[in-house]
Amino acid sequence: MTTDATLFWDEVHAARPPADPKPNARLVETVSGLPPGDALDLGCGNGGDARWLAGRGWTVTATDISAVAVNRLSGPRITAVRHDLRVSFPAGEFDLVTAHYLQTPFELDRSAVLRTAAHALRPGGRLLVVDHGSIAPWSWNQDPDAHFPSPAEIAEDLALDPARWAVERADSPTRLATGPNGQTAEVVDHVLLIRLNP
């Protein structure tokens, strides 16, 4: 495996043919009832979440470390930009920031990134963090000793002022997931939803 994060993720996305991807299930269940506004998709990958949001009236800034992923993503109401979140973060204020499976085999201060995301919210805006809570058979991470922090642990690490940010959801539901070659497995998601008080 390459030791360069950008090259690694470029290779991951280049190996996947361009497709019309589906949005993440936790995004759909969380956001469907919200009025559209400005959204930021951190680690946009194949663009399923950004396209789904844009299709429902959101104006989306989608970012990824991979130029391959960013260059494939276009469409009405979508601005795709490359950022290495270790060193830069998209400018602006948002009504929604999503970070689905923003996990990597490379060094990344996730707490700092997610804390920056929380500070990029407009009053009343939400930060949705969805992480792997288990290892899927097709995951790049097959370490049996991997630790997946719980939503409560993630919230604690963010150290956000509870007078300003409220935790609206912190749980670990399961779902049936489908891998890139059509295989299925039950997986655990860690879901954290934080709202900046109006």
Side-chain angles (χ1 to χ4, degrees), residues 52-174:
W52 184 86
L53 287 165
R56 278 143 190 84
W58 291 80
T59 299
V60 183
T61 300
T63 187
D64 202 282
I65 191 174
S66 168
V68 174
V70 167
N71 291 338
R72 284 181 176 175
L73 182 54
S74 63
R77 309 184 73 88
I78 297 174
T79 301
V81 291
R82 187 188 169 279
H83 279 274
D84 180 344
L85 295 174
R86 295 173 296 183
V87 295
S88 64
F89 194 91
E93 290 188 333
F94 304 93
D95 303 292
L96 174 70
V97 180
T98 67
H100 280 75
Y101 313 112
L102 189 64
Q103 293 162 299
T104 177
F106 300 94
E107 183 178 345
L108 174 68
D109 188 343
R110 269 179 31 106
S111 293
V113 171
L114 296 176
R115 196 174 302 114
T116 300
H119 283 275
L121 293 172
R122 290 191 179 110
R126 290 172 172 87
L127 169 63
L128 174 62
V129 181
V130 181
D131 286 338
H132 296 296
S134 63
I135 298 174
W138 52 85
S139 172
W140 52 262
N141 179 5
Q142 292 298 321
D143 180 0
D145 298 321
H147 171 67
F148 299 101
S150 70
E153 288 176 292
I154 296 166
E156 183 177 351
D157 285 345
L158 295 184
L160 298 170
D161 181 354
R164 295 190 63 203
W165 287 271
V167 174
E168 291 192 324
R169 179 179 180 183
D171 61 0
S172 300
T174 60

